[in-house]
Amino acid sequence: VYIKKIAIRGFKSFGNRKVTVNFSKGFVVVVGPNGSGKSNLLDAIRFGIGMLSAKSMRAGSFSDLIFYSKSGSGRAAKYAAVSLYLDNTDRRIPVNSDTVIITRQIDLDGKGVYRLNGRTVSRSQIVDLLEAAGISPDGYNMIPQGEILEVIRKGPVEIRRLFENIA
Amino acid sequence: VYIKKIAIRGFKSFGNRKVTVNFSKGFVVVVGPNGSGKSNLLDAIRFGIGMLSAKSMRAGSFSDLIFYSKSGSGRAAKYAAVSLYLDNTDRRIPVNSDTVIITRQIDLDGKGVYRLNGRTVSRSQIVDLLEAAGISPDGYNMIPQGEILEVIRKGPVEIRRLFENIA
Amino acid sequence: KRNTFLSTFYAIEKNFKQIFSSLSPGGNARFVLENPLDPFSGGVIIEASPAGKEIKRLELMSGGEKSITSLALIFAIQQYHPAPFYIMDEIDAFLDEQNSSRVADLIKELSRTSQFIVVSLKKATMKKADQIIGVTYMNGSSCVFSIDANLKQLEEQCGGEG
Amino acid sequence: KRNTFLSTFYAIEKNFKQIFSSLSPGGNARFVLENPLDPFSGGVIIEASPAGKEIKRLELMSGGEKSITSLALIFAIQQYHPAPFYIMDEIDAFLDEQNSSRVADLIKELSRTSQFIVVSLKKATMKKADQIIGVTYMNGSSCVFSIDANLKQLEEQCGGEG
Ligand SMILES: Nc1ncnc2c1ncn2[C@@H]1O[C@H](COP(=O)(O)OP(=O)(O)OP(=O)(O)O)[C@@H](O)[C@H]1O
Ligand SMILES: Nc1ncnc2c1ncn2[C@@H]1O[C@H](COP(=O)(O)OP(=O)(O)OP(=O)(O)O)[C@@H](O)[C@H]1O
Ligand SMILES: [Mg+2]
Ligand SMILES: [Mg+2]
């Protein structure tokens, strides 16, 4: 499994125009000036796989995740939507299709919708399927900006639990 | 007032050999590989001007501030000593000499000694003299590694107090 | 249960030792079980020392040394049981040039079994990438383009009102 | 007391506006008193927006934007009432190349009235220094040398047993 493509509309600094990014399978480096939206792109991935805490996407509340804008340079969005196109040829996600498309959308009053290959499903269905493939928004494989030093600050019991979950 | 020179012996990664550094007055940049001792050099300056919290010098206790070493590559130190040579031609420090030398020493059982131009004085005497010149180990002008993002996390009242102290 | 845990523990430790000494040549590292007889009643302590040093506790390490030790732990787990993808934001912020390029080399190797999507401001990291994605802020919103794209794609993605 | 505070407040704010827009061209910034009638019963709120953006709260800024805003505040105070020296450790860790060199240029200017001792891993910062001090770890301990020093001084400072 890997992320083939992401489509973003109205999520954080991504405006009303749909932005799509094709990712290659190996080592992808994201570059750009300060404030351009690099961390927001990574937040979009974690949002797509079901991240619940707005704070860990550096937002005060869910409505902060929806694109707002200065009057004039574009209308504020009414909803934020992210679609992740996951390559599933190895069938690590227990779904019988070569590509698994996960879509998550939230609107201004915080109501959220999840879709799996176009069909509306519950959040827990998505989370269970992804967990079976070792994908979780809070996994040890997700390092937000400035948090690389937090890894070794985990206590001994937390490290042990990490190993237990991997086993 | 500026720092003309520092002499360090037995403080953190600085071993038993006395290390002296001459600083120029303007813009000094400290460089070197990871783990070489750059932050320890800055810690030595803050230690010299009376820093009390071992934690903010990244030490668990005062004894962590004294050079210890693997057997073989040099003896562990019995005390740590830092001398700061401050240029005082502008007399901002209320002491009548062109150079003010502040020495601070601690030994393994945490006993500390402060000296001003060679004479033993109390910590509060040093702190009062330096504060008169706008020098304090916890001042807004001291930014430890990784803490640049903390500055704007100060609450509104803390910012107001900062301005009050400057006035 | 105890045996499964212990075999995972020893396998990850073996990787950790090997990866730490490749990222920090001459250094050594290990894990210590707080209670070897009953691992579930205690935790796992990480010990690591760069070459020629004896680190009493990880908190005493420098920013760069802590980053290297953290990454060695993550990569040791990756080698044992690769997650599908790794999302990492400026993990090289505190690394000097030599450590940045060692980490980038290692990620390149590990990216054969997992996808790595890494934000970086450092040239040493960009150089080793399979793909570079540029992000920019234009006309009031963010847009993304692949560095090898031509200008036309940039216009499509980023032109006009957002 | 209130008047002294207010005159300090407005003077620092004037500096802050000017410095923020020189570090972040096209951006604007200001301070807001929570209680203008009785400043001591409230605090000071910082507002800042890079060019073309409307930042609702400082927490929403990126790592680089937060660094720039923090530095603008520190430099605004420095300009009003310079402290004798500034000790700063990798303040440019989250800054891209352009922002690093703008910050370095500004420090160079401000270093006429205060001494700045800054640890940095970035070339853009080193380039603007009046003096570069090298630190290295040799023979089991740290030693320091001035970059323009000859090898003899290095041997003196760092040779032999520590
Ligand atoms: N809901 C939103 N609507 C519009 N803009 C937003 C929204 N949420 C965040 N932003 C903007 O996104 C920008 C930050 O983007 P991001 O953190 O991704 O930058 P970055 O490229 O990672 O920068 P750095 O290199 O400094 O870390 C900020 O300027 C912020 O104001
Ligand atoms: N009391 C002590 N005795 C011996 N070594 C010590 C002592 N205290 C700290 N150290 C060592 O000092 C080193 C850290 O130095 P420092 O934090 O100054 O590095 P740095 O040059 O700032 O590196 P970086 O670029 O990674 O931030 C660590 O390896 C640590 O083990
Ligand atoms: Mg970022
Ligand atoms: Mg450091």
Side-chain angles (χ1 to χ4, degrees):
Chain A
V1 170
Y2 70 95
I3 303 172
K4 273 198 312 203
K5 190 166 101 176
I6 188 170
I8 307 171
R9 182 199 288 272
F11 179 80
K12 295 190 87 177
S13 55
F14 294 94
N16 290 300
R17 185 184 46 226
K18 190 162 140 181
V19 168
T20 59
V21 185
N22 294 307
F23 293 109
S24 90
K25 197 172 171 178
F27 184 11
V28 179
V29 177
V30 178
V31 303
N34 287 143
S36 55
K38 301 182 298 295
S39 296
N40 290 343
L41 176 61
L42 300 192
D43 287 345
I45 293 172
R46 295 167 72 216
F47 172 80
I49 58 175
M51 183 59 137
L52 270 186
S53 140
K55 186 166 171 318
S56 76
M57 291 181 277
R58 299 168 302 144
S61 65
F62 266 92
S63 63
D64 281 341
L65 296 175
I66 300 173
F67 176 75
Y68 59 85
S69 98
K70 238 173 167 156
S71 48
S73 77
R75 314 171 309 290
K78 297 200 180 8
Y79 66 90
V82 169
S83 291
L84 280 170
Y85 295 73
L86 302 175
D87 179 284
N88 190 37
T89 36
D90 62 4
R91 292 296 188 270
R92 253 180 103 169
I93 302 174
V95 168
N96 193 19
S97 64
D98 280 352
T99 302
V100 170
I101 306 171
I102 297 175
T103 304
R104 182 179 178 191
Q105 184 172 321
I106 56 167
D107 53 23
L108 281 167
D109 52 19
K111 274 216 285 311
V113 168
Y114 287 82
R115 279 198 283 280
L116 175 73
N117 287 344
R119 268 179 327 105
T120 303
V121 290
S122 71
R123 177 179 182 275
S124 60
Q125 276 173 290
I126 296 265
V127 169
D128 288 349
L129 285 172
L130 292 177
E131 246 165 46
I135 300 170
S136 134
D138 294 310
Y140 78 97
N141 54 330
M142 307 280 172
I143 308 281
Q145 189 168 354
E147 304 222 354
I148 182 65
L149 300 184
E150 294 307 316
V151 178
I152 53 170
R153 290 207 183 119
K154 288 184 201 293
V157 172
E158 217 185 323
I159 302 279
R160 192 201 75 218
R161 292 229 174 85
L162 180 57
F163 290 175
E164 281 181 67
N165 293 339
I166 303 285
Chain B
V1 171
Y2 68 96
I3 304 172
K4 274 199 310 201
K5 189 166 108 175
I6 188 170
I8 309 171
R9 182 200 286 272
F11 178 82
K12 298 189 85 177
S13 57
F14 295 94
N16 290 301
R17 182 183 50 223
K18 189 162 138 179
V19 168
T20 58
V21 185
N22 293 308
F23 293 109
S24 89
K25 194 172 174 179
F27 184 12
V28 179
V29 177
V30 179
V31 304
N34 287 144
S36 55
K38 300 184 297 296
S39 296
N40 290 345
L41 175 62
L42 300 193
D43 287 345
I45 294 172
R46 293 168 75 215
F47 172 80
I49 57 175
M51 188 77 196
L52 271 185
S53 142
K55 183 166 175 316
S56 78
M57 291 180 276
R58 300 169 300 142
S61 64
F62 266 93
S63 65
D64 281 341
L65 294 175
I66 300 172
F67 176 75
Y68 60 86
S69 99
K70 239 175 163 153
S71 48
S73 76
R75 316 172 306 291
K78 297 200 179 13
Y79 66 89
V82 170
S83 293
L84 279 171
Y85 296 73
L86 302 173
D87 179 286
N88 191 37
T89 37
D90 62 3
R91 293 296 189 269
R92 256 181 99 170
I93 301 174
V95 169
N96 194 17
S97 64
D98 280 353
T99 302
V100 170
I101 306 171
I102 298 175
T103 304
R104 182 180 178 191
Q105 185 171 323
I106 58 168
D107 54 23
L108 281 167
D109 52 16
K111 270 212 287 311
V113 168
Y114 286 83
R115 279 196 284 278
L116 175 72
N117 287 343
R119 268 179 326 104
T120 303
V121 291
S122 71
R123 177 175 182 276
S124 61
Q125 275 174 290
I126 295 265
V127 170
D128 289 349
L129 284 173
L130 292 177
E131 246 166 44
I135 300 169
S136 135
D138 294 310
Y140 78 96
N141 53 332
M142 308 278 172
I143 308 280
Q145 190 168 353
E147 305 223 353
I148 183 63
L149 300 185
E150 295 306 316
V151 177
I152 52 168
R153 288 205 186 119
K154 288 184 200 294
V157 171
E158 215 184 325
I159 303 278
R160 192 201 74 219
R161 291 230 177 85
L162 180 59
F163 291 175
E164 279 179 69
N165 293 341
I166 302 285
Chain C
K1 181 166 156 63
R2 181 164 163 266
N3 290 342
T4 335
F5 172 77
L6 284 177
S7 82
T8 302
F9 172 82
Y10 288 120
I12 294 176
E13 184 189 30
K14 184 163 151 279
N15 295 347
F16 181 62
K17 280 176 188 274
Q18 183 263 321
I19 287 178
F20 185 81
S21 56
S22 82
L23 289 178
S24 177
N28 48 44
R30 65 184 181 141
F31 296 145
V32 176
L33 282 169
E34 283 186 322
N35 184 344
L37 295 174
D38 176 13
F40 300 109
S41 70
V44 172
I45 293 178
I46 300 166
E47 290 185 0
S49 288
K53 293 186 177 177
E54 180 182 9
I55 306 267
K56 290 199 288 204
R57 294 189 313 281
L58 293 185
E59 300 90 70
L60 295 174
M61 281 182 157
S62 78
E65 291 169 337
K66 281 181 183 157
S67 304
I68 289 292
T69 308
S70 302
L71 291 168
L73 176 66
I74 292 167
F75 296 152
I77 300 172
Q78 192 279 345
Q79 264 192 348
Y80 174 68
H81 184 65
F85 48 81
Y86 290 74
I87 308 294
M88 307 176 121
D89 200 341
E90 300 196 26
I91 53 174
D92 52 10
F94 296 109
L95 297 181
D96 58 30
E97 193 136 344
Q98 197 181 29
N99 279 325
S100 294
S101 76
R102 276 197 196 121
V103 164
D105 284 338
L106 186 52
I107 291 178
K108 181 97 180 175
E109 227 180 279
L110 300 177
S111 70
R112 286 179 303 186
T113 50
S114 297
Q115 181 185 38
F116 281 82
I117 300 178
V118 176
V119 168
S120 174
L121 301 176
K122 304 218 162 168
K123 290 199 179 47
T125 305
M126 297 175 198
K127 271 194 214 137
K128 308 277 166 44
D130 295 322
Q131 177 193 24
I132 293 185
I133 287 180
V135 181
T136 186
Y137 191 86
M138 274 166 75
N139 302 315
S141 67
S142 293
C143 57
V144 184
F145 55 99
S146 194
I147 291 283
D148 43 24
N150 53 25
L151 223 54
K152 192 173 146 310
Q153 192 182 327
L154 181 56
E155 193 47 40
E156 253 164 59
Q157 280 276 3
C158 302
E161 282 289 291
Chain D
K1 183 168 156 64
R2 180 166 166 267
N3 290 342
T4 336
F5 172 78
L6 285 175
S7 82
T8 302
F9 173 81
Y10 288 120
I12 295 177
E13 183 188 34
K14 185 164 151 278
N15 294 345
F16 181 62
K17 281 177 186 275
Q18 183 262 323
I19 287 178
F20 185 81
S21 57
S22 82
L23 289 179
S24 177
N28 46 47
R30 65 183 179 141
F31 296 144
V32 176
L33 281 169
E34 283 186 323
N35 184 345
L37 295 174
D38 176 15
F40 300 109
S41 70
V44 171
I45 293 178
I46 301 168
E47 290 186 356
S49 287
K53 293 186 177 179
E54 182 183 19
I55 306 269
K56 286 200 291 204
R57 293 190 312 282
L58 293 185
E59 299 89 71
L60 296 174
M61 282 182 155
S62 78
E65 290 170 338
K66 281 180 183 158
S67 304
I68 290 291
T69 309
S70 301
L71 291 168
L73 177 66
I74 292 167
F75 296 152
I77 300 172
Q78 191 280 343
Q79 261 191 353
Y80 174 68
H81 184 61
F85 48 81
Y86 290 74
I87 308 293
M88 308 175 119
D89 200 340
E90 300 196 24
I91 52 173
D92 52 9
F94 295 109
L95 297 181
D96 59 28
E97 192 135 346
Q98 195 181 33
N99 279 326
S100 295
S101 73
R102 275 195 200 121
V103 165
D105 284 339
L106 186 51
I107 291 179
K108 180 98 181 174
E109 224 180 279
L110 301 177
S111 70
R112 287 188 303 215
T113 50
S114 296
Q115 180 184 39
F116 281 81
I117 300 177
V118 175
V119 169
S120 173
L121 302 176
K122 304 220 161 166
K123 291 202 178 49
T125 305
M126 297 174 199
K127 269 194 214 137
K128 308 278 168 39
D130 295 320
Q131 177 193 25
I132 295 185
I133 287 179
V135 182
T136 187
Y137 192 85
M138 277 166 71
N139 302 312
S141 67
S142 294
C143 59
V144 183
F145 55 97
S146 193
I147 289 286
D148 43 24
N150 52 27
L151 226 53
K152 191 173 148 309
Q153 192 185 327
L154 181 55
E155 192 49 41
E156 253 165 58
Q157 279 276 6
C158 303
E161 284 285 296

